[in-house]
Structures are given as structure tokens and as C-alpha cells.
Amino acid sequence: MTGSLDTQAIYSLTHRQIANNEAAQEMMAYLWRDWGGYVGQLSWVTAAQLAAMAEAAGLAPGRAALDLCCGTGGITRHLVATTGATMTGLDYSEPAIEIARRDAAAVPAIRFDHGDARELPYGTAEFDAVISVDSLVIVPDRRQVLAECARVLKAGGRLVFSDEVLTGPVPRDPETQRALAVYGRLFPLTAPGYRRLLVHLGFTEIEIHDRTPMFVAINRRWADSYRRFEESGRKVLGDRLFEDGLAFFDTLHAEGAAGRLGQVLVSATWTGHDGAH
């Protein structure tokens, strides 16, 4: 980890610095220039992939959706602008939510809340869809998170998320493990593990699509962006967090290319009946 900062502090610091710094925005523009541009994603999903996720979730005017682990809200705002849906974003980082609220102050179809994905501060059957982008992997107790998603979804509601998954045995050497834990400990499932869990909870129409080739390419570009913007990156993040971030993306690229880590897009429909009992 970086210095004495805990996982949430590192995450919050990174979000604040990326969102508020012009040099960091230039780096984001370079990173995403071949994939539809930067729309607020500090992840591995392109604008075209977000459009596919929105379609799978049925986002449209008159539909209410939750963006789970929304960060600074760039993706939430993008989805409102491109689909007309009403969006609620939730994240555990207070600084990220502060930025999200500030940047969406003039958008009436968006609300941002601070909270825990394992204990959602919403009523039962409140949303037509729940969407999450490359974030569930850092949240422990995935069953509880997905059970909460089921609780807040209306019957027939759609759950759509991208996430990182195990596709082989990740090396246990300290260097690899440390690099992968820069932004917090990872709790990756496998694609079959996700399917079993969703069936157990009562979801149907489950589809899981592999996106690993793009995941590998984007991680390579993340690392290239760090190197290309090293001088400004060190000023924005500090030497230690810059070096840790570079190691993180280099390692994700290497593990993805070696067939040990991957990315999937998961979609499912909530039946309204708890399959766990």
C-alpha cells in the first residue's frame, strides 16, 4: 500500500486528483482517444461498451437506475445524457461523491449518495436497473452485494455489470500481490462463480460475455499513459502513488495477457423471487 493510507483514502485521493487536475484530464483524453473518448471512466470500459451495457440494462426515459460504485459520477452523467434515464449514483468515497454532486449540480435527473454497496440505503423494488462498472471486485462479500441489488430491483429489473475475474492461478509472489493491491485488496470471482451465485439468488436470463482482449489492451494503454505523462503524473499523484499505479496497470496487463485475469460483462433479470430460500 502507499505510505499509511488505507484503501478508501487512496481511492478517494486518486479520484479527487484526477477529477480536479487539468494535466490528469489530458492523460485521460490520450488514454481513451481510440475508444470513444473519456467519459469519466477510471476503469477498463470504453464508450461503446458502456452503450452496450446501457442497452442491456434497458436504460431509457422514464426508467430509474442505480449506478453502483459510481466514483466521481462521470459514467452516471454520461448515461443520463445518452439514454435519458433517471440515475442515482452511490459510492463509499465521500470525496468522490462531493465531486460527483458538484459536477452534476445542474442536472435534475441525477442524484448522488454516499453509502456501502453491501447495505444500500434504498427501499425495496426502487429501481428498474442496477449497473456497475469494474468496481465489485474490490468489495468483499459479493453475495451480500448482489442480494442487495436484487432487493432494490423491481421484478423484471435488470442487473448489468462489468467486473474483473480469475481465469487462471495468479502468482503468489509478493511483488505481484502488492501491485494488485495498490487500490485495495481484490476479491475476484470466476465467471462460473458469478453464474452460480446469480442463479442461487434468483436471477434469470443470465448472460456472461468475455471482454478480456479489450481489458488487456486498455491496461497496456493505461501503463503507456503513465509513462507518457510521467512528469505531470508524479506532480499530481506524488512519486509513490504514481509508481504504484504504474505497477498496478503493468501487472494487470501481464496477468491478463497470460490468461490469469480477465474481464466479463454480466447481465441478468431479477424475477422478484429470492432463489436462496
Side-chain angles (χ1 to χ4, degrees):
M1 302 299 290
T2 304
S4 60
L5 293 176
D6 61 20
T7 298
Q8 185 167 343
I10 294 171
Y11 172 86
S12 298
L13 175 65
T14 302
H15 270 287
R16 186 183 290 280
Q17 290 172 317
I18 292 291
N20 292 327
N21 188 276
E22 184 176 343
Q25 292 293 307
E26 290 177 5
M27 174 177 162
M28 292 298 101
Y30 169 78
L31 195 164
W32 295 105
R33 64 178 185 173
D34 296 327
W35 298 308
Y38 175 57
V39 296
Q41 69 275 47
L42 297 178
S43 61
W44 304 277
V45 170
T46 68
Q49 290 173 329
L50 285 173
M53 293 177 71
E55 182 177 1
L59 299 189
R63 301 269 288 177
L66 172 65
D67 183 1
L68 188 60
C69 306
C70 66
T72 53
I75 287 175
T76 321
R77 296 193 303 276
H78 177 74
L79 291 174
V80 168
T82 55
T83 71
T86 298
M87 299 289 300
T88 297
L90 179 131
D91 201 89
Y92 82 152
S93 165
E94 290 188 80
I97 289 298
E98 289 172 8
I99 294 167
R101 287 171 175 163
R102 179 200 69 195
D103 291 348
V107 185
I110 300 180
R111 157 186 167 186
F112 288 104
D113 297 318
H114 175 248
D116 190 329
R118 297 166 294 183
E119 193 173 343
L120 296 176
Y122 307 114
T124 299
E126 190 164 333
F127 296 102
D128 297 297
V130 174
I131 193 166
S132 187
V133 178
D134 294 331
S135 298
L136 300 185
V137 70
I138 65 171
V139 184
D141 196 354
R142 206 67 45 79
R143 184 194 181 284
Q144 176 63 22
V145 174
L146 295 179
E148 278 289 273
C149 291
R151 182 182 65 79
V152 302
L153 277 170
K154 299 173 184 178
R158 295 284 286 163
L159 171 65
V160 179
F161 62 90
S162 58
D163 203 25
E164 288 59 63
V165 293
L166 285 173
T167 53
V170 175
R172 305 300 300 176
D173 64 279
E175 184 176 354
T176 298
Q177 290 298 305
R178 182 184 180 282
L180 290 176
V182 164
Y183 295 104
R185 183 181 174 188
L186 304 183
F187 302 89
L189 300 182
T190 62
Y194 261 130
R195 183 178 295 278
R196 288 192 297 269
L197 183 52
L198 290 167
V199 168
H200 179 69
L201 288 170
F203 285 90
T204 61
E205 299 178 325
I206 300 164
E207 295 186 16
I208 301 178
H209 300 284
D210 181 64
R211 285 180 162 179
T212 301
M214 182 60 76
F215 172 74
V216 173
I218 293 172
N219 275 299
R220 183 171 60 244
R221 178 67 65 81
W222 266 105
D224 174 55
S225 299
Y226 264 68
R227 292 185 172 94
R228 188 181 187 91
F229 292 88
E230 179 173 357
E231 183 177 355
S232 59
R234 288 183 181 276
K235 290 179 181 177
V236 172
L237 298 173
D239 289 339
R240 185 66 179 275
L241 189 53
F242 175 89
E243 290 166 6
D244 282 351
L246 177 57
F248 176 72
F249 292 114
D250 272 338
T251 301
L252 285 179
H253 171 250
E255 296 305 309
R260 293 187 285 260
L261 282 177
Q263 184 197 47
V264 291
L265 170 63
V266 181
S267 61
T269 299
W270 173 237
T271 61
H273 302 286
D274 189 346
H277 299 292

